[in-house]
Amino acid sequence: MPLLIKNIKGLAGVREDNGLNACGKEMASVRIIDDAYLIADHGIISDYGKMSDLHKVINTNHQKDFRIIDASGCFVFPSFCDPHTHIVYAGSREQEFADRLRGLSYEEIARRGGGILNSAKKLHETSEEDLYMESVKRIREIISFGTGAVEIKSGYGLNTRDELKMLRVIKRIRENFPLEIRSTFLGAHAVPEEFRNDREQYIGIIINEMIPSVAAEELADYIDVFCDDGFFTVEETERILMAGLKYGLLPKLHASEIGNSGGVQAGVKYNALSVDHLERVGDEEIKCLAGTDTVPTLLPGSALFLGLPDPPARKMIDAGLPVAMASDYNPGSSPSGNMKLIMSLGCIKLKMTPEEAFNSVTFNAACAMGISETHGSVTRGKAANLIVTKEMTSFYFFPYAYGSNLTDKVILKGEIYTPDLQDQIE
Ligand code: NIG
Ligand code: FE
């Protein structure tokens, strides 16, 4: 039965013309229809408009049987797209958080075998079943905050068996949950301890063993490399990306978080879907991204959590780039997948306007995960993945009330999300 949402105070993120992405100045506008309705049918947005026109639609449709949501006083948004997460992981790392507060740096912790290698150890000791059950809790949590599409990376396996274990868990989540998922192979997240003196051997395993196995089981859409100081060099990154491209894995890169790594240039060279983090980029990298299809994806949660400099979002937008934002949900640098908070941080820390921040967590985020044809805006024919907010005085209230959960209902594929009804845990 179709779903009718009526009396919507503001239907935000309406886009008739899909376009490639929202660049620079275009990010400043969000189309909002006041006093609106929206109809979802067979999981798709089939119609929307002014309440004053609803009677025409209902009459012509001969359709009286709707499930109805009365959204008086509330806004309806496209659900968030989160284009960069590591949500499948084992355990947590609050001890490292406490160590950092006492003065150790993220890099020092990593050099001592903590950080990514610590998560890899925990993941190695966790069964595929337990990893799935742990990850499911986080998936349910991000849905409750309003995320309707998420990219998930491997990268805590760091050997063929455990990387495949992670990717199979992602596949199982994709099959069992109604949110949209893209999967990214990140074998080049860190060099494991045992290859510290022979990193070339580990890179060989990524190229000759992991990538072909991942491709054979069709477990990934994209490939990522942590191209940064102390992790993988530009030359190593390029070799890994080329190996992935042979199997059709498009690049998405971690770049310029710790140093100005050259990862942006490498990403652009290999036509990456996105280059992510970018806390240390300069004018040259911004110039390099201009006019390309590579989406700069900023992760203000990890900049906040690690005390990194904020990425130059304003400069990027003023240079005409299509900025996206993501949560980076992971146990080390950003243990939160709250995209509403990310939207607020975009405003508060990165000096984006509410409209720019909104576009960066919806439409541009969909572009950064390669799903903008079907997600990221209120457009006829796109997936009916939507948020119905609690009552709000205005659109600006959403990022302003930065600590409140203002998501009242989550709609995925045209259905109101109720965890136990829609998920199939098995
Ligand atoms: O995006 N920077 C690299 N990878 C993750 C952090 C991983 C971790 O600390 O576990 C990130 O911040
Ligand atoms: Fe990351």
Side-chain angles (χ1 to χ4, degrees):
M1 197 190 300
L3 176 73
L4 167 64
I5 313 177
K6 64 178 194 180
N7 299 326
I8 304 168
K9 179 168 181 166
L11 177 63
V14 175
R15 254 169 205 277
E16 308 274 328
D17 157 30
N18 206 31
L20 207 61
N21 45 41
C23 285
K25 284 198 178 71
E26 288 162 33
M27 289 184 66
S29 67
V30 172
R31 188 167 162 222
I32 301 178
I33 304 178
D34 297 331
D35 197 20
Y37 71 89
L38 180 142
I39 297 173
D41 201 1
H42 291 96
I44 300 291
I45 297 170
S46 61
D47 199 12
Y48 53 79
K50 290 288 251 184
M51 272 308 281
S52 52
D53 291 330
L54 179 59
H55 64 282
K56 297 184 207 159
V57 180
I58 292 191
N59 287 345
T60 52
N61 256 3
H62 304 294
Q63 177 67 267
K64 290 203 179 63
D65 291 334
F66 288 103
R67 287 163 303 147
I68 294 178
I69 295 175
D70 188 335
S72 299
C74 310
F75 282 67
V76 171
F77 294 169
S79 57
F80 301 121
C81 298
D82 189 348
H84 179 140
T85 81
H86 311 251
I87 201 169
V88 170
Y89 60 83
S92 53
R93 304 210 315 256
E94 63 272 26
Q95 183 57 48
E96 291 177 10
F97 170 62
D99 292 343
R100 275 197 300 107
L101 296 175
R102 291 192 188 93
L104 278 185
S105 72
Y106 182 74
E107 294 92 307
E108 277 164 339
I109 291 170
R111 271 197 297 275
R112 293 173 184 204
I116 295 166
L117 298 183
N118 183 1
S119 284
K121 186 169 174 284
K122 291 183 201 290
L123 188 126
H124 182 69
E125 292 159 357
T126 304
S127 70
E128 191 171 316
E129 184 60 25
D130 288 351
L131 186 61
Y132 175 72
M133 294 310 287
E134 230 186 278
S135 306
V136 156
K137 288 188 195 149
R138 296 182 202 113
I139 291 288
R140 288 181 157 171
E141 183 197 24
I142 64 167
I143 294 175
S144 74
F145 289 143
T147 293
V150 61
E151 181 259 15
I152 311 175
K153 300 171 193 297
S154 70
Y156 293 121
L158 306 183
N159 62 54
T160 306
R161 193 176 139 264
D162 289 330
E163 283 295 306
L164 291 175
K165 175 164 90 182
M166 285 189 82
L167 291 165
R168 288 188 193 118
V169 167
I170 299 172
K171 185 178 178 193
R172 208 165 142 198
I173 295 170
R174 191 172 183 159
E175 286 163 357
N176 291 347
F177 282 79
L179 81 175
E180 191 70 15
I181 293 191
R182 289 295 176 275
S183 169
T184 301
F185 168 64
L186 176 57
H189 199 190
V191 175
E193 203 75 45
E194 60 272 32
F195 296 103
R196 198 163 257 187
N197 297 319
D198 191 1
R199 44 192 298 121
E200 201 37 53
Q201 200 189 338
Y202 183 61
I203 293 167
I205 293 173
I206 293 175
I207 291 175
N208 302 316
E209 203 178 295
M210 292 188 193
I211 293 176
S213 316
V214 168
E217 279 192 54
E218 297 185 2
L219 288 173
D221 305 292
Y222 307 127
I223 184 163
D224 191 348
V225 177
F226 190 5
C227 179
D228 220 319
D229 295 1
F231 289 84
F232 292 86
T233 66
V234 168
E235 187 269 332
E236 291 165 347
T237 300
E238 293 199 6
R239 280 160 55 209
I240 295 166
L241 294 187
M242 277 192 281
L245 279 167
K246 268 203 230 154
Y247 291 92
L249 302 175
L250 290 182
K252 278 170 76 69
L253 282 188
H254 279 74
S256 296
E257 174 190 2
I258 295 167
N260 197 358
S261 62
V264 169
Q265 286 83 347
V268 168
K269 181 169 168 190
Y270 290 90
N271 213 0
L273 207 51
S274 70
V275 283
D276 305 13
H277 271 292
L278 314 184
E279 288 85 356
R280 315 272 178 182
V281 294
D283 293 346
E284 212 173 296
E285 285 68 33
I286 293 179
K287 232 196 230 158
C288 172
L289 282 163
T292 72
D293 293 338
T294 300
V295 179
T297 299
L298 310 182
L299 315 171
S302 47
L304 177 79
F305 194 71
L306 295 184
L308 301 174
D310 287 318
R314 275 262 54 89
K315 273 191 171 183
M316 292 178 182
I317 294 172
D318 295 343
L321 302 186
V323 171
M325 291 195 290
S327 74
D328 197 17
Y329 198 170
N330 77 75
S333 69
S334 186
S336 166
N338 184 342
M339 286 297 280
K340 174 177 177 287
L341 178 61
I342 295 300
M343 188 177 156
S344 293
L345 289 178
C347 299
I348 298 161
K349 298 284 288 172
L350 307 188
K351 309 291 178 230
M352 296 164 98
T353 64
E355 291 84 353
E356 289 167 343
F358 178 89
N359 280 318
S360 76
V361 294
T362 56
F363 188 63
N364 282 352
C367 298
M369 58 185 289
I371 58 166
S372 59
E373 294 283 317
T374 49
H375 293 77
S377 62
V378 173
T379 304
R380 284 181 190 82
K382 280 198 180 185
N385 284 13
L386 304 158
I387 299 167
V388 182
T389 71
K390 294 180 184 160
E391 287 191 21
M392 297 203 299
T393 42
S394 77
F395 172 71
Y396 289 169
F397 190 79
F398 196 77
Y400 155 85
Y402 75 93
S404 306
N405 182 3
L406 294 176
T407 300
D408 185 44
K409 290 184 186 62
V410 175
I411 294 161
L412 294 176
K413 296 185 176 162
E415 302 286 332
I416 300 170
Y417 180 74
T418 32
D420 293 323
L421 275 183
Q422 266 167 300
D423 307 340
Q424 293 161 3
I425 295 292
E426 293 315 318

